[in-house]
Amino acid sequence: MIYLFQLMNGIGLGMLYFLLAVGLSVIFGLLHFVNFAHGAFYLLGAYLCYALLQYGVGFWGALVLAAIIVAAIAAVVETGLLKRIYRLDHMYHIVATIGLALMIQEIVIIVWGPVGSSVPAPKALTGAIMLGHFIYPEYRLFVIGFTAVLAAILWWVLEGTRLGAVVRAGSESTDMVSLLGYDINRINTAVFALGAGLAGLAGALAAPIRGVDPFMGVEALAVAFVVVVIGGMGSYTGALIAGLLVGIVQSLMTTLWPAGASLAIYIAMVLVVLVMPRGLLGRA
Amino acid sequence: MDRPIFHFALAALVALLLPFFIRSGTLATEVLVFAIAAAGCNLLLGYTGLLSFGQGIFFGLGSYTLGLALIHTTLPLLPTLVLAMIVGSVVAIVIGALSIRRQGVYFVMLTLAFAQLFYFLAYTFSDITGGDNGLIGIPRRGIGPLALNSSWSYYGFVAVIFLISFAALQRIATSTFGRTLLAIRYNGERAQAIGFPVRAFKIAAFAVSGAVTGLAGALHALLIGIAPLSDIDYHMSESLLVMTIIGGTGNLFGSVLGAAFYLIVSDTLSAIWPRWLLLLGALLIVLALFIQKGIWGLIESGVGIVRGRRGGPDAMAPGVSGSERP
């Protein structure tokens, strides 16, 4: 039974990892841009959620606002800064986004202090339900349900809408998309903001589970990279499968070998890379 | 300006002058230790075009190897340093061989994930590494009659090793091997087509870089008397890369400048304002936008202006990162 409990935890965790990684993956797919500030957007989302809750904004409001504010900040950063460096070597993408991540992290510490805090789950979801012989927190069930709906919407956006088609076409050839009359600059900004907003949302959703602390961004960035490496760059389905895999492995290991839970996901990554260098669903 | 002997003289000058400018022997030693590590990083990034986020692994393993050897055995100091180089090199070969199966950004992400793997290995097996507390109580053994107890005598020892490493790396960089690495950086496909075993060359570059970085890690542990967990974490890899890029890639002396700048500025600023990383972040953004060739690039173009010509010979190289200006 403990395994079922941990499996549920793993699915919840894995869906958050998916939200985090799919943004990174889509940004890379379209912009060929590796975003080391992705973890910082997650961090910012978590702290904004925490702050908005403290100001008395309801949980739903905090969740939505946190995601929107992070997306807006990302859009500004993309237009003002990143746009200028897309054509440079990826070394400069990494330097600039590491700089950006450092700045966001330090600003968070200046505003909210270096010590972490716990974040209360919304009142309606503080209860627990019986799952067989186990008591399972309602909030974690809500996270699973909410992220599942979100994943479905996202799939529809990427596969079923014109924007999604343009994004997918853009990741094949940006020049062709521009020639067809689409403003690639605006699409780039939109996709970057969407990816960052998803990371912010993942942070906001994670806050009541793990609390907030200024260094959660670095940790999240590394996990997002693992998910993308395992799932394959630019793949929605890959991010979903790998996110769930990483979440479940980490949760089950918490029971089997608590000290090695984090170690396990990196070992899983090495195993996948050894067998399939492109990741589970990566393209050539 | 491009002759190796001139760069070596500059490096020797830095080692000679640091004690006059820096009061703390520890900080001065740290500058040279990290200059060695940054030069090792530069061999991969600047000469081979491999942006490795795994340099902290080799650095940390060097620290742990030296610590474990000095605590648990009676091995003299020099063989211990060699051992740290071997461990750094062997692990670098394995990680290099696995990571170069992917290119570009994927390669970067793989090396970063490996860095996390080794961090959690060190964190999890705390019986061996001391985990969060670090491996404490590393004795600083002398070499024969030479005691290295005072901070400036240790500085002298590190300075000698720094100059030997610098000369060795220069030798490698200017050899046929180093030229081939540059060819791989500029155009890997062409190098492959000409018939160079590109994979083997990249792995060899990793081996050298791992050895040098492991040596630096060992010297760092010996300096502070412990092998801290922070020697192997993500931030170590990040700092080494940042030093290398600030100094200027593709130039070994640039790495010395980068390490000196990073350590001295961070030491000064962190004493004034604990949130100095905010300024470092801003500096990195400015660097990416405007100073893409780092401090060495600035110096080169400064000298170029004085001499009435623009840029060094590297500015002519096609398709090199940093050759595009905004």
Side-chain angles (χ1 to χ4, degrees):
Chain A
M1 265 325 276
I2 180 82
Y3 293 109
L4 180 67
F5 180 79
Q6 289 295 3
L7 187 68
M8 293 290 287
N9 273 341
I11 293 172
L13 197 62
M15 289 305 283
L16 290 178
Y17 289 166
F18 159 71
L19 279 189
L20 199 59
V22 75
L24 193 69
S25 196
V26 169
I27 289 173
F28 180 78
L30 181 69
L31 305 170
H32 295 278
F33 180 84
V34 63
N35 180 19
F36 272 70
H38 205 68
F41 290 132
Y42 170 85
L43 166 72
L44 201 56
Y47 266 94
L48 284 171
C49 175
Y50 164 71
L52 288 164
L53 285 173
Q54 282 203 322
Y55 288 132
V57 179
F59 182 74
W60 282 104
L63 210 58
V64 174
L65 271 176
I68 290 175
I69 295 173
V70 170
I73 291 173
V76 171
V77 168
E78 200 272 345
T79 335
L81 168 69
L82 303 181
K83 191 163 276 179
R84 295 165 201 272
I85 59 171
Y86 282 150
R87 60 201 181 78
L88 299 182
D89 185 272
H90 64 244
M91 179 172 101
Y92 300 104
H93 302 170
I94 292 170
V95 169
T97 50
I98 285 178
L100 185 62
L102 275 178
M103 291 184 78
I104 292 176
Q105 179 181 310
E106 294 304 304
I107 289 170
V108 163
I109 296 177
I110 289 170
V111 176
W112 287 289
V115 186
S117 305
S118 63
V119 176
K123 281 215 177 61
L125 296 169
T126 43
I129 61 155
M130 293 298 288
L131 208 72
H133 295 289
F134 269 93
I135 300 168
Y136 201 76
E138 275 176 17
Y139 181 74
R140 284 175 183 246
L141 276 183
F142 157 76
V143 167
I144 295 175
F146 183 76
T147 47
V149 171
L150 213 62
I153 294 173
L154 202 63
W155 186 82
W156 173 75
V157 169
L158 288 174
E159 299 291 326
T161 65
R162 184 157 279 262
L163 173 71
V166 173
V167 168
R168 278 179 292 129
S171 58
E172 298 286 331
S173 165
T174 27
D175 291 341
M176 184 52 87
V177 171
S178 303
L179 282 173
L180 289 172
Y182 289 97
D183 184 350
I184 198 75
N185 279 333
R186 281 175 59 189
I187 294 166
N188 285 348
T189 310
V191 166
F192 191 82
L194 175 71
L198 287 172
L201 189 62
L205 281 168
I209 296 177
R210 68 175 307 290
V212 289
D213 68 82
F215 307 104
M216 63 195 284
V218 175
E219 190 188 310
L221 180 70
V223 171
F225 279 178
V226 169
V227 171
V228 173
V229 167
I230 292 181
M233 191 81 94
S235 164
Y236 170 95
T237 324
L240 183 61
I241 293 172
L244 287 172
L245 182 76
V246 169
I248 290 170
V249 165
Q250 196 178 2
S251 287
L252 289 181
M253 287 301 291
T254 313
T255 309
L256 295 172
W257 185 30
S262 294
L263 186 58
I265 65 173
Y266 294 98
I267 293 177
M269 177 211 71
V270 173
L271 291 178
V272 170
V273 169
L274 284 176
V275 182
M276 311 168 124
R278 289 183 200 296
L280 296 175
L281 291 164
R283 286 173 297 182
Chain B
M1 183 107 185
D2 297 312
R3 302 214 354 237
I5 188 75
F6 173 65
H7 290 194
F8 181 79
L10 286 178
L13 203 64
V14 167
L16 210 64
L17 292 183
L18 267 181
F20 295 100
F21 290 100
I22 300 177
R23 285 244 183 95
S24 148
T26 309
L27 179 61
T29 313
E30 232 170 1
V31 168
L32 295 189
V33 166
F34 281 96
I36 298 174
C41 183
N42 204 343
L43 187 75
L44 283 179
L45 179 58
Y47 287 84
T48 326
L50 293 170
L51 199 156
S52 154
F53 240 96
Q55 298 306 98
I57 303 171
F58 320 137
F59 193 91
L61 286 178
S63 298
Y64 285 127
T65 304
L66 174 117
L68 291 171
L70 289 184
I71 290 171
H72 298 296
T73 71
T74 52
L75 222 57
L77 184 55
L78 288 179
T80 317
L81 292 178
V82 174
L83 195 65
M85 292 177 76
I86 294 172
V87 170
S89 188
V90 168
V91 174
I93 289 172
V94 174
I95 289 174
L98 288 175
S99 302
I100 58 168
R101 295 166 64 170
R102 303 307 315 271
Q103 293 189 330
V105 177
Y106 241 122
F107 170 85
V108 179
M109 291 173 43
L110 272 177
T111 53
L112 185 121
F114 276 117
Q116 287 291 98
L117 171 68
F118 275 84
Y119 168 79
F120 280 109
L121 275 173
Y123 179 80
T124 307
F125 294 99
S126 52
D127 300 350
I128 304 168
T129 62
D132 240 349
N133 301 323
L135 188 62
I136 45 178
I138 300 173
R140 195 188 287 172
R141 258 170 228 157
I143 304 170
L146 276 170
L148 299 173
N149 291 325
S150 85
S151 69
W152 286 113
S153 65
Y154 185 62
Y155 176 84
F157 171 68
V158 171
V160 171
I161 294 186
F162 161 71
L163 289 175
I164 297 172
S165 316
F166 191 84
L169 281 173
Q170 270 195 316
R171 194 59 214 234
I172 291 170
T174 49
S175 67
T176 317
F177 172 72
R179 295 284 141 193
T180 314
L181 292 183
L182 274 178
I184 291 171
R185 177 190 167 179
Y186 291 152
N187 195 335
E189 280 172 20
R190 190 186 290 172
Q192 179 97 48
I194 293 170
F196 284 114
V198 168
R199 258 181 68 86
F201 270 89
K202 284 181 175 174
I203 293 173
F206 257 103
V208 175
S209 181
V212 170
T213 314
L215 175 66
L219 292 173
H220 188 242
L222 200 60
L223 169 69
I224 56 178
I226 69 168
L229 190 60
S230 62
D231 272 9
I232 203 165
D233 83 353
Y234 163 85
H235 294 286
M236 180 56 71
S237 298
E238 190 181 82
S239 307
L240 291 177
L241 269 176
V242 165
M243 288 175 200
T244 310
I245 297 172
I246 286 182
T249 57
N251 182 293
L252 290 172
F253 183 67
S255 300
V256 179
L257 291 178
F261 178 87
Y262 183 92
L263 289 167
I264 295 170
V265 166
S266 66
D267 184 74
T268 316
L269 286 181
S270 61
I272 301 169
W273 191 38
R275 301 270 67 83
W276 66 279
L277 281 172
L278 184 69
L279 300 176
L280 178 68
L283 173 75
L284 292 180
I285 292 173
V286 169
L287 196 82
L289 283 174
F290 306 112
I291 324 173
Q292 290 154 1
K293 289 186 169 185
I295 300 175
W296 181 253
L298 277 184
I299 294 175
E300 251 185 349
S301 44
V303 171
I305 288 166
V306 171
R307 286 190 185 169
R309 63 185 170 93
R310 289 170 59 90
D314 200 40
M316 312 273 283
V320 188
S321 51
S323 61
E324 296 149 294
R325 296 233 165 237

